[in-house]
Coordinates of all heavy atoms in Angstrom, one line a residue:
M1 N 0.8 -1.2 0.0 CA 0.0 0.0 0.0 C 0.9 1.3 0.0 O 1.8 1.4 0.8 CB -0.9 0.0 1.2 CG -1.9 1.2 1.3 SD -2.8 1.3 2.9 CE -4.1 0.1 2.5
T2 N 0.6 2.1 -1.0 CA 1.4 3.3 -1.0 C 0.9 4.3 0.1 O -0.2 4.1 0.6 CB 1.3 4.1 -2.4 OG1 0.0 4.5 -2.6 CG2 1.7 3.1 -3.5
I3 N 1.6 5.4 0.3 CA 1.3 6.4 1.3 C 0.0 7.0 0.9 O -0.9 7.4 1.7 CB 2.4 7.4 1.6 CG1 2.0 8.3 2.7 CG2 2.8 8.2 0.4 CD1 1.9 7.7 4.1
F4 N -0.2 7.2 -0.5 CA -1.4 7.8 -1.0 C -2.7 6.9 -0.7 O -3.7 7.4 -0.3 CB -1.3 8.2 -2.4 CG -0.2 9.1 -2.7 CD1 1.0 8.7 -3.3 CD2 -0.2 10.5 -2.2 CE1 2.0 9.6 -3.5 CE2 0.8 11.3 -2.4 CZ 2.0 10.9 -3.0
Q5 N -2.5 5.6 -1.0 CA -3.6 4.7 -0.7 C -3.9 4.6 0.8 O -5.0 4.5 1.2 CB -3.2 3.3 -1.2 CG -3.1 3.1 -2.7 CD -2.4 1.8 -3.1 OE1 -1.5 1.4 -2.5 NE2 -2.8 1.3 -4.2
F6 N -2.8 4.7 1.6 CA -3.0 4.6 3.0 C -3.8 5.8 3.5 O -4.7 5.7 4.2 CB -1.6 4.6 3.7 CG -1.7 4.7 5.2 CD1 -1.9 3.6 6.0 CD2 -1.7 5.9 5.9 CE1 -2.0 3.6 7.3 CE2 -1.7 6.0 7.2 CZ -1.9 4.8 8.0
M7 N -3.4 7.0 3.0 CA -4.1 8.3 3.4 C -5.6 8.3 2.9 O -6.4 8.8 3.6 CB -3.4 9.5 2.8 CG -2.1 9.7 3.5 SD -1.0 10.9 2.8 CE -1.8 12.4 3.2
D8 N -5.9 7.6 1.7 CA -7.2 7.5 1.3 C -8.1 6.6 2.1 O -9.2 6.8 2.4 CB -7.3 7.1 -0.2 CG -6.9 8.2 -1.2 OD1 -7.0 9.4 -0.7 OD2 -6.7 7.9 -2.3
T9 N -7.4 5.5 2.5 CA -8.1 4.5 3.4 C -8.3 4.9 4.8 O -9.4 4.7 5.3 CB -7.3 3.2 3.4 OG1 -7.0 2.8 2.0 CG2 -8.0 2.0 4.0
F10 N -7.4 5.6 5.4 CA -7.5 6.0 6.7 C -7.5 7.5 6.9 O -6.6 8.2 7.4 CB -6.3 5.4 7.5 CG -6.2 3.9 7.5 CD1 -5.2 3.3 6.7 CD2 -7.1 3.2 8.2 CE1 -5.2 1.9 6.7 CE2 -7.1 1.8 8.2 CZ -6.1 1.2 7.4
R11 N -8.6 8.1 6.4 CA -8.8 9.6 6.3 C -9.1 10.2 7.7 O -8.7 11.2 8.0 CB -9.9 10.0 5.3 CG -9.4 10.2 3.9 CD -10.4 10.6 3.0 NE -11.1 9.3 2.6 CZ -12.2 9.3 2.0 NH1 -12.8 10.4 1.6 NH2 -12.8 8.2 1.7
T12 N -9.9 9.4 8.5 CA -10.2 10.0 9.8 C -10.0 9.0 10.9 O -9.7 7.8 10.6 CB -11.8 10.2 9.8 OG1 -12.4 8.9 9.7 CG2 -12.2 11.1 8.7
E13 N -10.1 9.4 12.1 CA -9.9 8.5 13.3 C -10.9 7.4 13.3 O -10.6 6.3 13.6 CB -10.0 9.3 14.6 CG -9.8 8.5 15.9 CD -8.3 8.1 16.1 OE1 -7.5 8.4 15.3 OE2 -8.1 7.4 17.1
Q14 N -12.1 7.7 12.8 CA -13.2 6.7 12.8 C -12.9 5.6 11.8 O -13.2 4.4 12.0 CB -14.5 7.4 12.5 CG -15.7 6.5 12.8 CD -15.7 6.1 14.3 OE1 -15.5 6.8 15.2 NE2 -16.1 4.8 14.5
D15 N -12.2 6.0 10.6 CA -11.8 5.0 9.6 C -10.8 4.0 10.3 O -10.9 2.8 10.1 CB -11.1 5.6 8.5 CG -12.0 6.5 7.6 OD1 -13.2 6.2 7.6 OD2 -11.4 7.4 6.9
C16 N -9.9 4.5 11.1 CA -8.9 3.7 11.8 C -9.6 2.8 12.9 O -9.2 1.7 13.0 CB -7.8 4.6 12.4 SG -7.0 5.6 11.2
I17 N -10.5 3.4 13.6 CA -11.2 2.6 14.7 C -12.0 1.4 14.0 O -11.9 0.3 14.5 CB -12.2 3.6 15.4 CG1 -11.4 4.5 16.3 CG2 -13.2 2.7 16.2 CD1 -12.2 5.6 17.0
E18 N -12.6 1.7 12.8 CA -13.4 0.6 12.2 C -12.4 -0.5 11.7 O -12.7 -1.7 11.8 CB -14.1 1.2 10.9 CG -15.3 2.1 11.3 CD -16.5 1.3 11.9 OE1 -16.7 0.2 11.4 OE2 -17.1 1.8 12.8
Y19 N -11.2 -0.1 11.2 CA -10.3 -1.1 10.8 C -9.8 -2.0 11.9 O -9.7 -3.2 11.8 CB -9.1 -0.4 10.2 CG -8.0 -1.2 9.7 CD1 -8.1 -2.0 8.5 CD2 -6.8 -1.3 10.4 CE1 -7.0 -2.8 8.1 CE2 -5.7 -2.2 10.0 CZ -5.9 -2.9 8.8 OH -4.9 -3.7 8.5
I20 N -9.4 -1.3 13.1 CA -8.9 -2.1 14.2 C -10.0 -2.9 14.8 O -9.9 -4.1 15.2 CB -8.4 -1.1 15.3 CG1 -7.2 -0.3 14.8 CG2 -8.0 -1.8 16.6 CD1 -5.9 -1.1 14.5
K21 N -11.3 -2.4 14.8 CA -12.4 -3.1 15.3 C -12.6 -4.4 14.6 O -12.7 -5.5 15.1 CB -13.7 -2.3 15.2 CG -15.0 -3.0 15.6 CD -16.1 -2.3 15.1 CE -16.4 -2.8 13.7 NZ -17.6 -2.3 13.0
D22 N -12.6 -4.3 13.2 CA -12.8 -5.5 12.4 C -11.7 -6.5 12.6 O -11.9 -7.7 12.7 CB -12.9 -5.1 10.9 CG -14.1 -4.3 10.6 OD1 -15.1 -4.4 11.4 OD2 -14.2 -3.7 9.5
L23 N -10.4 -6.0 12.7 CA -9.3 -6.9 12.9 C -9.4 -7.7 14.2 O -9.3 -8.9 14.3 CB -8.0 -6.1 13.0 CG -7.2 -5.8 11.7 CD1 -5.9 -5.1 12.0 CD2 -6.9 -7.1 11.0
R24 N -9.8 -6.9 15.3 CA -9.9 -7.5 16.6 C -11.0 -8.5 16.8 O -10.9 -9.5 17.4 CB -10.0 -6.4 17.7 CG -8.7 -5.6 17.7 CD -8.5 -4.9 19.0 NE -8.4 -5.9 20.1 CZ -8.4 -5.5 21.4 NH1 -8.5 -4.3 21.7 NH2 -8.3 -6.5 22.3
L25 N -12.2 -8.2 16.1 CA -13.3 -9.1 16.2 C -13.0 -10.4 15.4 O -13.4 -11.5 15.8 CB -14.5 -8.5 15.5 CG -15.2 -7.4 16.4 CD1 -16.3 -6.7 15.7 CD2 -15.7 -8.0 17.7
K26 N -12.2 -10.3 14.3 CA -11.8 -11.4 13.6 C -10.8 -12.3 14.4 O -10.9 -13.6 14.4 CB -11.1 -11.0 12.3 CG -11.8 -11.4 11.0 CD -11.0 -11.1 9.8 CE -11.7 -10.0 9.0 NZ -10.9 -9.5 7.9
Q27 N -9.9 -11.6 15.1 CA -8.9 -12.3 15.9 C -9.5 -12.9 17.1 O -9.0 -13.9 17.6 CB -7.8 -11.3 16.2 CG -6.6 -11.9 16.9 CD -5.5 -10.8 17.2 OE1 -5.9 -9.7 17.5 NE2 -4.3 -11.2 17.1
G28 N -10.5 -12.3 17.7 CA -11.0 -12.8 19.0 C -10.5 -12.0 20.1 O -9.4 -11.6 20.2
I29 N -11.5 -11.6 21.0 CA -11.1 -10.7 22.1 C -11.3 -11.5 23.4 O -12.3 -12.2 23.7 CB -12.0 -9.5 22.1 CG1 -11.8 -8.7 20.9 CG2 -11.8 -8.6 23.4 CD1 -13.0 -7.8 20.5
T30 N -10.3 -11.5 24.3 CA -10.3 -12.1 25.6 C -10.9 -11.2 26.6 O -10.4 -10.1 26.8 CB -9.0 -12.6 26.0 OG1 -8.4 -13.4 25.0 CG2 -9.0 -13.3 27.3
C31 N -12.0 -11.5 27.3 CA -12.7 -10.7 28.3 C -11.8 -10.7 29.5 O -11.4 -11.7 30.0 CB -14.0 -11.3 28.6 SG -14.9 -10.4 29.9
K32 N -11.6 -9.4 30.0 CA -10.7 -9.3 31.2 C -11.4 -9.8 32.4 O -10.8 -10.2 33.4 CB -10.3 -7.8 31.4 CG -9.3 -7.4 30.4 CD -8.8 -6.0 30.7 CE -7.6 -5.7 29.8 NZ -7.1 -4.3 30.0
R33 N -12.8 -9.8 32.5 CA -13.5 -10.3 33.6 C -13.7 -11.8 33.5 O -13.3 -12.5 34.5 CB -14.8 -9.6 33.8 CG -15.5 -9.9 35.1 CD -16.9 -9.3 35.2 NE -16.8 -7.9 35.3 CZ -17.9 -7.1 35.2 NH1 -19.1 -7.6 35.0 NH2 -17.8 -5.8 35.4
C34 N -14.1 -12.4 32.4 CA -14.3 -13.8 32.2 C -13.1 -14.6 32.0 O -12.9 -15.7 32.3 CB -15.2 -14.1 31.0 SG -16.8 -13.4 31.0
N35 N -12.0 -13.8 31.5 CA -10.7 -14.4 31.2 C -10.9 -15.5 30.1 O -10.0 -16.4 30.1 CB -10.0 -14.9 32.4 CG -8.5 -14.7 32.3 OD1 -8.0 -14.0 31.5 ND2 -7.8 -15.4 33.2
E36 N -11.9 -15.4 29.3 CA -12.1 -16.4 28.2 C -12.2 -15.6 26.9 O -12.6 -14.4 26.9 CB -13.4 -17.1 28.4 CG -13.4 -18.0 29.7 CD -12.8 -19.3 29.6 OE1 -12.7 -19.8 28.4 OE2 -12.4 -19.9 30.6
K37 N -11.9 -16.3 25.8 CA -12.1 -15.7 24.5 C -13.6 -15.9 24.2 O -14.0 -17.0 23.7 CB -11.2 -16.4 23.5 CG -10.6 -15.4 22.5 CD -9.7 -16.1 21.6 CE -8.6 -15.1 21.2 NZ -7.6 -15.6 20.3
T38 N -14.4 -14.9 24.5 CA -15.8 -15.0 24.3 C -16.3 -14.1 23.1 O -15.5 -13.3 22.6 CB -16.6 -14.6 25.5 OG1 -16.2 -13.2 25.8 CG2 -16.3 -15.5 26.7
K39 N -17.5 -14.3 22.7 CA -18.0 -13.4 21.7 C -18.3 -12.0 22.2 O -18.7 -11.9 23.3 CB -19.4 -14.0 21.1 CG -19.9 -13.2 20.0 CD -21.0 -14.0 19.3 CE -21.6 -13.2 18.1 NZ -20.7 -12.8 17.1
H40 N -17.8 -11.0 21.5 CA -18.0 -9.7 21.9 C -18.8 -8.9 20.8 O -18.8 -9.2 19.6 CB -16.6 -9.0 22.0 CG -15.9 -9.3 23.3 ND1 -15.4 -10.5 23.6 CD2 -15.7 -8.5 24.4 CE1 -14.9 -10.4 24.8 NE2 -15.0 -9.2 25.3
Y41 N -19.5 -7.9 21.3 CA -20.3 -7.1 20.4 C -19.7 -5.7 20.4 O -19.1 -5.3 21.4 CB -21.8 -6.9 20.9 CG -22.5 -8.3 20.9 CD1 -22.6 -9.0 22.0 CD2 -23.0 -8.8 19.7 CE1 -23.3 -10.3 22.0 CE2 -23.6 -10.0 19.6 CZ -23.7 -10.8 20.8 OH -24.4 -12.0 20.7
W42 N -19.9 -5.0 19.3 CA -19.3 -3.6 19.2 C -20.4 -2.6 19.7 O -21.5 -2.6 19.3 CB -19.0 -3.4 17.8 CG -18.4 -2.0 17.5 CD1 -18.9 -1.0 16.7 CD2 -17.2 -1.5 18.0 NE1 -18.1 0.0 16.7 CE2 -17.0 -0.2 17.5 CE3 -16.2 -2.0 18.8 CZ2 -15.9 0.6 17.7 CZ3 -15.1 -1.2 19.1 CH2 -14.9 0.1 18.6
V43 N -19.9 -1.8 20.6 CA -20.8 -0.7 21.2 C -20.3 0.6 20.5 O -19.2 1.2 20.9 CB -20.7 -0.6 22.7 CG1 -21.7 0.5 23.2 CG2 -21.0 -1.9 23.3
K44 N -20.9 1.0 19.5 CA -20.4 2.1 18.6 C -20.4 3.5 19.3 O -19.4 4.2 19.1 CB -21.3 2.3 17.4 CG -20.7 3.1 16.3 CD -21.5 3.2 15.1 CE -20.8 4.1 14.0 NZ -21.3 4.0 12.7
Y45 N -21.3 3.8 20.2 CA -21.3 5.2 20.7 C -20.1 5.5 21.6 O -19.7 6.6 21.8 CB -22.6 5.5 21.4 CG -22.7 4.9 22.9 CD1 -22.3 5.7 23.9 CD2 -23.2 3.6 23.1 CE1 -22.4 5.2 25.2 CE2 -23.4 3.2 24.3 CZ -23.0 3.9 25.4 OH -23.0 3.4 26.7
N46 N -19.5 4.5 22.2 CA -18.2 4.7 23.0 C -17.0 3.9 22.5 O -16.0 3.9 23.2 CB -18.5 4.5 24.5 CG -18.8 3.1 24.8 OD1 -18.9 2.2 23.9 ND2 -19.1 2.9 26.1
N47 N -17.2 3.3 21.3 CA -16.0 2.6 20.7 C -15.4 1.5 21.6 O -14.2 1.5 21.8 CB -14.9 3.6 20.2 CG -15.4 4.4 19.1 OD1 -16.2 4.0 18.2 ND2 -14.9 5.7 19.1
K48 N -16.3 0.7 22.2 CA -15.8 -0.4 23.0 C -16.5 -1.7 22.6 O -17.5 -1.7 22.0 CB -16.2 -0.1 24.5 CG -15.4 1.1 25.0 CD -15.6 1.2 26.5 CE -14.7 2.3 27.0 NZ -14.9 2.6 28.4
F49 N -15.8 -2.8 23.0 CA -16.3 -4.1 22.8 C -17.1 -4.5 24.1 O -16.6 -4.2 25.2 CB -15.3 -5.2 22.5 CG -14.4 -4.8 21.3 CD1 -13.1 -4.3 21.5 CD2 -14.9 -5.1 20.1 CE1 -12.4 -4.0 20.3 CE2 -14.1 -4.8 18.9 CZ -12.8 -4.2 19.1
Q50 N -18.2 -5.3 23.9 CA -18.9 -5.7 25.1 C -19.0 -7.3 25.1 O -19.4 -7.9 24.1 CB -20.3 -5.1 25.1 CG -21.1 -5.6 26.4 CD -22.4 -4.8 26.5 OE1 -22.4 -3.6 26.5 NE2 -23.5 -5.5 26.7
C51 N -18.6 -7.9 26.2 CA -18.6 -9.3 26.3 C -20.0 -9.8 26.3 O -20.9 -9.2 27.0 CB -17.9 -9.7 27.6 SG -18.0 -11.5 28.0
S52 N -20.3 -10.8 25.5 CA -21.7 -11.3 25.4 C -22.1 -12.1 26.7 O -23.3 -12.4 26.9 CB -21.9 -12.2 24.2 OG -21.0 -13.4 24.3
V53 N -21.1 -12.5 27.5 CA -21.4 -13.3 28.7 C -21.7 -12.4 29.9 O -22.7 -12.5 30.5 CB -20.3 -14.3 29.0 CG1 -20.5 -15.1 30.3 CG2 -20.1 -15.3 27.8
C54 N -20.7 -11.6 30.3 CA -20.7 -10.8 31.5 C -21.0 -9.3 31.2 O -21.2 -8.6 32.2 CB -19.5 -10.9 32.3 SG -18.1 -10.1 31.5
R55 N -21.1 -8.9 30.0 CA -21.4 -7.5 29.5 C -20.3 -6.5 29.9 O -20.5 -5.3 29.9 CB -22.7 -7.1 30.1 CG -23.9 -8.0 29.6 CD -25.2 -7.6 30.2 NE -25.6 -6.3 29.9 CZ -26.4 -6.0 28.8 NH1 -26.8 -6.9 28.0 NH2 -26.8 -4.8 28.6
S56 N -19.1 -7.1 30.3 CA -18.0 -6.2 30.6 C -17.5 -5.5 29.3 O -17.5 -6.2 28.3 CB -16.9 -7.0 31.2 OG -15.7 -6.3 31.4
R57 N -17.1 -4.3 29.4 CA -16.7 -3.6 28.2 C -15.1 -3.4 28.1 O -14.5 -3.2 29.2 CB -17.3 -2.2 28.1 CG -18.8 -2.4 27.9 CD -19.5 -1.1 27.6 NE -20.9 -1.4 27.3 CZ -21.8 -0.5 27.2 NH1 -21.5 0.8 27.2 NH2 -23.1 -0.8 26.9
T58 N -14.6 -3.5 27.0 CA -13.2 -3.4 26.7 C -12.9 -2.3 25.7 O -13.5 -2.3 24.6 CB -12.7 -4.8 26.1 OG1 -13.0 -5.8 27.0 CG2 -11.2 -4.8 25.8
N59 N -12.0 -1.5 26.1 CA -11.6 -0.4 25.2 C -10.9 -0.9 23.9 O -10.3 -2.0 24.0 CB -10.6 0.6 25.9 CG -10.3 1.8 25.2 OD1 -9.7 1.7 24.1 ND2 -10.6 2.9 25.7
I60 N -11.1 -0.2 22.8 CA -10.5 -0.7 21.6 C -9.0 -0.9 21.6 O -8.4 -1.7 21.0 CB -10.9 0.2 20.4 CG1 -10.6 -0.5 19.0 CG2 -10.3 1.6 20.5 CD1 -11.3 0.1 17.8
K61 N -8.3 0.0 22.4 CA -6.8 -0.1 22.5 C -6.4 -1.2 23.5 O -5.2 -1.6 23.5 CB -6.3 1.2 22.9 CG -6.4 2.3 21.9 CD -5.7 3.6 22.4 CE -5.7 4.7 21.4 NZ -5.2 6.0 22.0
S62 N -7.2 -1.6 24.4 CA -6.9 -2.5 25.5 C -6.3 -3.8 24.9 O -6.9 -4.4 24.0 CB -8.1 -2.8 26.3 OG -7.8 -3.7 27.3
G63 N -5.2 -4.3 25.4 CA -4.6 -5.5 25.0 C -3.7 -5.4 23.7 O -3.3 -6.4 23.1
T64 N -3.5 -4.1 23.2 CA -2.7 -3.9 22.1 C -1.5 -3.0 22.5 O -1.4 -2.5 23.7 CB -3.4 -3.1 21.0 OG1 -3.7 -1.8 21.4 CG2 -4.8 -3.8 20.7
I65 N -0.6 -2.8 21.6 CA 0.6 -1.9 21.8 C 0.2 -0.5 22.1 O 0.9 0.2 22.7 CB 1.5 -2.0 20.6 CG1 2.9 -1.3 20.8 CG2 0.8 -1.3 19.4 CD1 3.9 -1.5 19.8
M66 N -1.1 -0.2 21.8 CA -1.6 1.2 22.0 C -2.2 1.4 23.3 O -2.7 2.5 23.7 CB -2.7 1.5 20.9 CG -2.2 1.4 19.5 SD -3.4 1.7 18.2 CE -4.3 0.1 18.3
E67 N -2.3 0.4 24.2 CA -3.1 0.4 25.4 C -2.9 1.5 26.3 O -3.8 2.2 26.7 CB -2.9 -1.0 26.1 CG -3.8 -1.1 27.3 CD -3.7 -2.5 27.9 OE1 -3.0 -3.3 27.5 OE2 -4.5 -2.6 28.9
K68 N -1.6 1.9 26.6 CA -1.4 2.9 27.6 C -1.2 4.3 26.9 O -0.9 5.2 27.6 CB -0.1 2.6 28.4 CG -0.2 1.2 29.1 CD -0.7 1.4 30.5 CE -0.6 0.0 31.2 NZ -1.5 -0.2 32.2
S69 N -1.3 4.3 25.6 CA -1.1 5.6 24.9 C -2.3 6.5 24.7 O -3.4 6.0 24.6 CB -0.6 5.2 23.5 OG -0.5 6.3 22.6
K70 N -2.0 7.8 24.8 CA -3.1 8.7 24.5 C -3.1 9.2 23.0 O -3.9 10.0 22.7 CB -3.0 9.9 25.5 CG -3.3 9.5 26.9 CD -3.3 10.7 27.8 CE -3.7 10.2 29.2 NZ -3.9 11.1 30.2
I71 N -2.1 8.7 22.3 CA -1.9 9.0 20.9 C -3.1 8.4 20.1 O -3.5 7.3 20.4 CB -0.5 8.6 20.4 CG1 0.6 9.3 21.1 CG2 -0.5 8.8 18.9 CD1 1.9 8.8 20.8
S72 N -3.6 9.1 19.2 CA -4.7 8.6 18.4 C -4.3 7.4 17.6 O -3.1 7.1 17.3 CB -5.2 9.7 17.4 OG -4.3 9.8 16.3
I73 N -5.3 6.6 17.3 CA -5.1 5.3 16.6 C -4.6 5.7 15.2 O -3.8 5.0 14.6 CB -6.4 4.5 16.5 CG1 -6.8 4.0 17.9 CG2 -6.3 3.4 15.5 CD1 -8.1 3.3 18.0
R74 N -5.0 6.8 14.6 CA -4.6 7.2 13.2 C -3.1 7.4 13.2 O -2.4 7.1 12.3 CB -5.3 8.4 12.8 CG -5.0 8.8 11.4 CD -6.1 9.7 10.9 NE -5.9 9.9 9.4 CZ -5.4 11.0 8.9 NH1 -5.0 12.0 9.6 NH2 -5.2 11.1 7.6
V75 N -2.5 8.1 14.3 CA -1.1 8.3 14.4 C -0.4 6.9 14.5 O 0.7 6.7 13.9 CB -0.7 9.2 15.5 CG1 0.8 9.3 15.8 CG2 -1.3 10.7 15.3
W76 N -0.9 6.1 15.3 CA -0.3 4.8 15.5 C -0.2 4.0 14.1 O 0.8 3.5 13.7 CB -1.1 3.9 16.5 CG -0.7 4.1 17.9 CD1 -1.3 4.8 18.8 CD2 0.5 3.5 18.5 NE1 -0.6 4.8 20.0 CE2 0.5 4.0 19.8 CE3 1.5 2.7 18.1 CZ2 1.5 3.6 20.8 CZ3 2.5 2.3 19.0 CH2 2.5 2.8 20.3
L77 N -1.3 4.0 13.4 CA -1.4 3.3 12.1 C -0.4 3.9 11.1 O 0.2 3.2 10.3 CB -2.8 3.2 11.6 CG -3.8 2.3 12.3 CD1 -5.1 2.3 11.5 CD2 -3.3 0.9 12.4
T78 N -0.3 5.2 11.1 CA 0.6 5.9 10.2 C 2.0 5.5 10.5 O 2.8 5.2 9.6 CB 0.4 7.5 10.4 OG1 -0.9 7.8 10.2 CG2 1.3 8.1 9.3
A79 N 2.4 5.5 11.8 CA 3.7 5.1 12.2 C 4.0 3.6 11.8 O 5.1 3.3 11.3 CB 3.9 5.3 13.7
I80 N 3.0 2.7 12.1 CA 3.2 1.3 11.7 C 3.3 1.2 10.2 O 4.1 0.4 9.7 CB 2.0 0.5 12.3 CG1 2.1 0.5 13.8 CG2 2.0 -0.9 11.7 CD1 0.8 0.0 14.5
H81 N 2.5 2.0 9.5 CA 2.7 1.9 8.0 C 4.1 2.3 7.6 O 4.7 1.6 6.7 CB 1.6 2.8 7.4 CG 1.8 2.9 5.9 ND1 1.4 1.9 5.0 CD2 2.3 3.9 5.1 CE1 1.7 2.3 3.8 NE2 2.2 3.5 3.8
F82 N 4.7 3.4 8.1 CA 6.0 3.8 7.7 C 7.0 2.8 8.1 O 7.9 2.5 7.3 CB 6.3 5.1 8.4 CG 5.8 6.3 7.7 CD1 5.0 7.2 8.3 CD2 6.0 6.5 6.3 CE1 4.4 8.3 7.6 CE2 5.5 7.6 5.6 CZ 4.7 8.5 6.3
I83 N 6.9 2.2 9.3 CA 7.9 1.1 9.7 C 7.8 0.0 8.8 O 8.8 -0.6 8.3 CB 7.6 0.7 11.2 CG1 7.9 1.9 12.1 CG2 8.4 -0.6 11.5 CD1 7.4 1.7 13.5
S84 N 6.6 -0.5 8.4 CA 6.5 -1.7 7.5 C 6.9 -1.4 6.1 O 7.5 -2.2 5.5 CB 5.0 -2.2 7.5 OG 4.2 -1.2 7.0
T85 N 6.8 -0.1 5.7 CA 7.3 0.3 4.3 C 8.8 0.3 4.3 O 9.4 -0.1 3.4 CB 6.7 1.7 4.0 OG1 5.3 1.7 4.1 CG2 7.2 2.1 2.6
I86 N 9.4 0.8 5.4 CA 10.9 0.8 5.5 C 11.4 -0.5 5.5 O 12.4 -0.9 4.8 CB 11.3 1.6 6.8 CG1 11.0 3.1 6.6 CG2 12.8 1.4 7.0 CD1 11.1 3.9 7.8
K87 N 10.7 -1.4 6.2 CA 11.2 -2.8 6.3 C 11.2 -3.5 4.9 O 12.1 -4.2 4.6 CB 10.3 -3.6 7.3 CG 10.8 -4.9 7.8 CD 10.0 -5.5 8.8 CE 10.4 -6.9 9.2 NZ 9.5 -7.6 10.1
K88 N 10.1 -3.2 4.1 CA 10.0 -3.8 2.8 C 11.1 -3.2 1.9 O 11.7 -3.9 1.1 CB 8.6 -3.5 2.2 CG 7.6 -4.4 2.7 CD 6.2 -3.9 2.1 CE 5.1 -4.6 2.8 NZ 3.8 -4.0 2.4
S89 N 11.4 -1.9 2.0 CA 12.5 -1.3 1.3 C 13.8 -1.9 1.6 O 14.6 -2.2 0.7 CB 12.6 0.2 1.6 OG 11.4 0.8 1.3
F90 N 14.1 -2.2 2.8 CA 15.3 -2.8 3.2 C 15.4 -4.2 2.6 O 16.5 -4.6 2.1 CB 15.4 -3.0 4.7 CG 16.0 -1.8 5.4 CD1 15.3 -0.8 6.0 CD2 17.4 -1.7 5.5 CE1 15.8 0.3 6.6 CE2 18.0 -0.6 6.1 CZ 17.2 0.4 6.6
R91 N 14.3 -4.9 2.5 CA 14.3 -6.3 1.9 C 14.7 -6.1 0.4 O 15.4 -6.9 -0.1 CB 12.9 -6.9 2.0 CG 12.9 -8.4 1.8 CD 11.6 -9.0 2.0 NE 11.0 -8.7 3.2 CZ 9.7 -8.6 3.4 NH1 8.8 -8.7 2.4 NH2 9.1 -8.3 4.6
Y92 N 14.1 -5.1 -0.3 CA 14.5 -4.9 -1.7 C 15.9 -4.6 -1.9 O 16.6 -5.1 -2.9 CB 13.6 -3.8 -2.4 CG 12.2 -4.2 -2.5 CD1 11.1 -3.5 -2.0 CD2 11.9 -5.4 -3.3 CE1 9.8 -3.9 -2.1 CE2 10.6 -5.8 -3.4 CZ 9.5 -5.0 -2.9 OH 8.2 -5.4 -3.1
I93 N 16.5 -3.8 -1.0 CA 17.9 -3.4 -1.1 C 18.8 -4.7 -0.9 O 19.7 -4.9 -1.6 CB 18.2 -2.3 -0.1 CG1 17.5 -1.0 -0.5 CG2 19.7 -2.1 0.0 CD1 17.5 0.0 0.6
L94 N 18.4 -5.5 0.1 CA 19.2 -6.6 0.5 C 19.2 -7.7 -0.6 O 20.1 -8.4 -0.8 CB 18.8 -7.2 1.8 CG 19.1 -6.3 3.1 CD1 18.5 -6.8 4.3 CD2 20.6 -6.1 3.2
L95 N 18.0 -7.9 -1.2 CA 17.9 -9.1 -2.2 C 18.1 -8.7 -3.6 O 18.1 -7.8 -4.1 CB 16.5 -9.7 -2.0 CG 16.2 -10.3 -0.6 CD1 14.8 -10.8 -0.6 CD2 17.2 -11.4 -0.2
Ligands
ZN1 ZN1 -16.9 -11.5 30.1

């Protein structure tokens, strides 16, 4: 993905939240209260996951590298994009 494609895909913080939400729902979320990988529902108004068993809510950043950070998800994704692009460039130079 080029930087231009990236900027078109992740135009707003909400675009980034939707992307992370879909990834995490696909991967599965472990409930901090149940301590099990249970089915979670998305609560859109506060951008949290809700456990279907105990109804405990989990922040979208919880359990990720972004957990303790106040930096927006968009900034995180941009940084991750640059790091992965640089890594690919190094691969092309080396091979
Ligand atoms: Zn639970």
